[in-house]
Amino acid sequence: MPYCNVGDYQTGADAITNKGIRIFYRTYGGGPIKVFMIIGLAATHDSWNPQIEGLVGSVKGKPNDVVDDRGGDNDNGKGIEVCAIDNRGVGRSSIPAKRSEYTTTIMAKDAIAVMDHLGWKKAHVFGHSMGGMIASKLAALFPERLMSLALLNVTGGGYECLPKLDRQTLSIAVRFLRAKTPEQRAAVDLDTHYTQEYLKECIGDETRRAVLYREYVKAISSSGMQSNHGFDGQIHACWTHKISRTDIEMIRNEGFLISVIHGRYDVIAQVSHARRLAKKLYPYAKMVELHGGHLVSHERTKEVNEALLELIKAAENKTSPHDWTNLSEKSTGFWSMNFSSGYKSEGGIAETIRRIVLYIFSIFVLAFECIRRVPRRIRPVRVGTGFT
């Protein structure tokens, strides 16, 4: 099976700390254009299958390590090779026991180790949700290794990981914590990942919800449960993630093109956070908002794949950032997150109050998390699609 021994591709303290850490990966297709995919919380590499198929053609998710001929059916004629990984803490990758061994910086270095293992000097890097946080950190730490950057349903981490505060999301949170069976977890995951409109669509004589429910129950039942160490560690990575002013400057200075892709009705990663991140990355970023939920890559596969292929083409053709962006320079102050600028804009007072409330609420959530660790916690079920 394809594994990367992370410590073998690092030096100093990192090499010592990560000795024995293995990251599972798979590659698909072939050609000079390299695409590196990083998935989100509790998800495994195959959550990218709709995008892998869209980028490399008719491979149907069949990886190169089980295909004898890397050409032929494994080449879509566009010369694209894709690598998708299981992050540390999930799937077939190593699961460190300490929460301190899970940060987006550490996981970004895992990704670079895999790229070095493959011999990839540069790649188009795509990340979904927590994977987008990791991809952002990778772009800040190793900007010279990126051809382009795609961030799907991403936030800036920390309190921005908190979902929208309304009756629906509170209900989802309660159901998630209470879910003890594959059936219960599947039901709550559907409401987390997709819009209600999408779930109500009919496929033949059944609703899409009914069809997806069976698929989710089967996937959850067959894959089992993510370990406590892995789940807690990845949650820790999300809560401690931060893109600083320096990080933004490092990304902007390298000058590669960026797509920020988001579902407008994402109940987990609020689209307002993605918009602000895109504005900070002006003029290199394009904001792509689609009618979908948190798993917009599955709900709006065609549109997402088109956006990703458009990004690859523009980057390969060295399109000018000003020809790429769809953001307005007037509305994109480089660091427009301070409170004073919020008061000047329409609705700024309400937005500022909302941020303060979210910050206070996040403190209570963290306190609750600490208290909740006293009794034995319900172990979360691992699924093949990302929660955040």
Side-chain angles (χ1 to χ4, degrees):
M1 302 299 288
Y3 284 96
C4 167
N5 295 307
V6 174
D8 292 349
Y9 298 91
Q10 296 179 335
T11 59
D14 287 341
I16 297 171
T17 301
N18 292 311
K19 183 179 181 180
I21 297 294
R22 300 204 305 169
I23 298 297
F24 179 80
Y25 70 91
R26 279 200 146 137
T27 59
Y28 307 80
I33 299 174
K34 310 299 184 183
V35 176
F36 197 92
M37 294 178 162
I38 310 173
I39 198 59
L41 174 71
T44 52
H45 69 281
D46 49 4
S47 295
W48 284 111
N49 277 354
Q51 281 61 59
I52 293 170
E53 184 175 346
L55 294 178
V56 304
S58 59
V59 66
K60 301 294 184 185
K62 184 177 291 187
N64 289 338
D65 59 285
V66 297
V67 176
D68 293 331
D69 184 2
R70 289 173 63 94
D73 291 339
N74 229 26
D75 190 344
N76 67 352
K78 297 179 182 179
I80 298 176
E81 183 176 9
V82 172
C83 176
I85 64 173
D86 288 351
N87 292 310
R88 63 168 61 199
V90 75
R92 299 176 185 175
S93 291
S94 296
I95 304 175
K98 297 179 181 178
R99 287 203 308 164
S100 60
E101 296 182 78
Y102 296 84
T103 67
T104 52
T105 294
I106 290 172
M107 296 162 91
K109 291 179 180 180
D110 288 345
I112 286 295
V114 177
M115 285 180 59
D116 290 341
H117 174 75
L118 294 171
W120 291 10
K121 293 183 178 180
K122 302 190 77 166
H124 302 270
V125 177
F126 301 164
H128 178 269
S129 198
M130 182 190 74
M133 299 180 202
I134 298 168
S136 298
K137 189 60 70 172
L138 188 156
L141 294 172
F142 308 96
E144 73 283 356
R145 304 294 297 269
L146 274 74
M147 287 293 296
S148 70
L149 176 66
L151 304 173
L152 286 72
N153 294 77
V154 74
T155 73
Y159 84 91
E160 292 187 7
C161 293
L162 291 173
K164 183 178 179 181
L165 299 179
D166 59 19
R167 182 177 297 179
Q168 179 189 4
T169 52
L170 288 175
S171 172
I172 289 173
V174 171
R175 290 165 57 205
F176 177 77
L177 291 174
R178 290 179 176 176
K180 298 179 181 179
T181 67
E183 291 77 13
Q184 291 172 334
R185 181 62 187 270
V188 69
D189 278 353
L190 292 180
D191 290 328
T192 301
H193 295 157
Y194 306 102
T195 61
Q196 295 302 309
E197 177 184 355
Y198 181 72
L199 294 173
K200 290 177 182 177
E201 291 177 0
C202 290
I203 302 177
D205 296 331
E206 295 184 288
T207 64
R208 191 181 297 276
R209 177 187 288 275
V211 174
L212 288 172
Y213 176 75
R214 289 197 301 271
E215 294 177 0
Y216 270 52
V217 170
K218 181 179 179 181
I220 294 169
S221 299
S222 62
S223 61
M225 303 168 68
Q226 184 184 19
S227 74
N228 286 346
H229 292 314
F231 184 79
D232 290 346
Q234 291 189 352
I235 288 290
H236 178 260
C238 293
W239 275 113
T240 57
H241 173 71
K242 180 182 179 182
I243 289 293
S244 67
R245 183 193 295 263
T246 300
D247 290 336
I248 293 293
E249 290 175 347
M250 291 296 293
I251 294 171
R252 285 163 50 94
N253 288 342
E254 190 65 22
F256 47 76
L257 301 182
I258 303 164
S259 277
V260 180
I261 304 170
H262 214 97
R264 293 190 189 94
Y265 307 104
D266 188 340
V267 299
I268 300 299
Q270 298 181 60
V271 68
S272 58
H273 300 316
R275 289 170 183 157
R276 283 196 293 273
L277 179 59
K279 288 178 181 179
K280 294 177 191 178
L281 295 168
Y282 176 87
Y284 304 98
K286 173 181 285 190
M287 186 71 205
V288 181
E289 294 185 29
L290 300 173
H291 188 93
H294 187 61
L295 206 56
V296 72
S297 55
H298 286 222
E299 186 168 346
R300 292 289 177 259
T301 297
K302 181 176 181 293
E303 293 95 324
V304 169
N305 289 352
E306 287 174 350
L308 295 176
L309 286 168
E310 180 186 24
L311 174 63
I312 292 172
K313 181 178 179 181
E316 294 289 333
N317 292 337
K318 302 186 183 306
T319 299
S320 163
H322 289 281
D323 290 332
W324 170 252
T325 188
N326 59 355
L327 302 173
S328 169
E329 182 177 11
K330 184 177 180 180
S331 65
T332 56
F334 172 66
W335 206 258
S336 56
M337 289 294 289
N338 59 69
F339 285 157
S340 60
S341 65
Y343 280 110
K344 295 176 183 178
S345 62
E346 182 180 354
I349 295 177
E351 175 65 11
T352 299
I353 293 173
R354 186 184 70 83
R355 291 179 192 168
I356 294 173
V357 171
L358 278 175
Y359 177 75
I360 294 172
F361 181 72
S362 69
I363 294 175
F364 281 102
V365 169
L366 289 172
F368 172 76
E369 181 68 15
C370 291
I371 295 171
R372 192 167 63 89
R373 291 180 186 281
V374 176
R376 183 174 180 85
R377 177 172 63 78
I378 297 173
R379 298 177 68 191
V381 181
R382 180 177 67 82
V383 297
T385 49
F387 180 71
T388 184

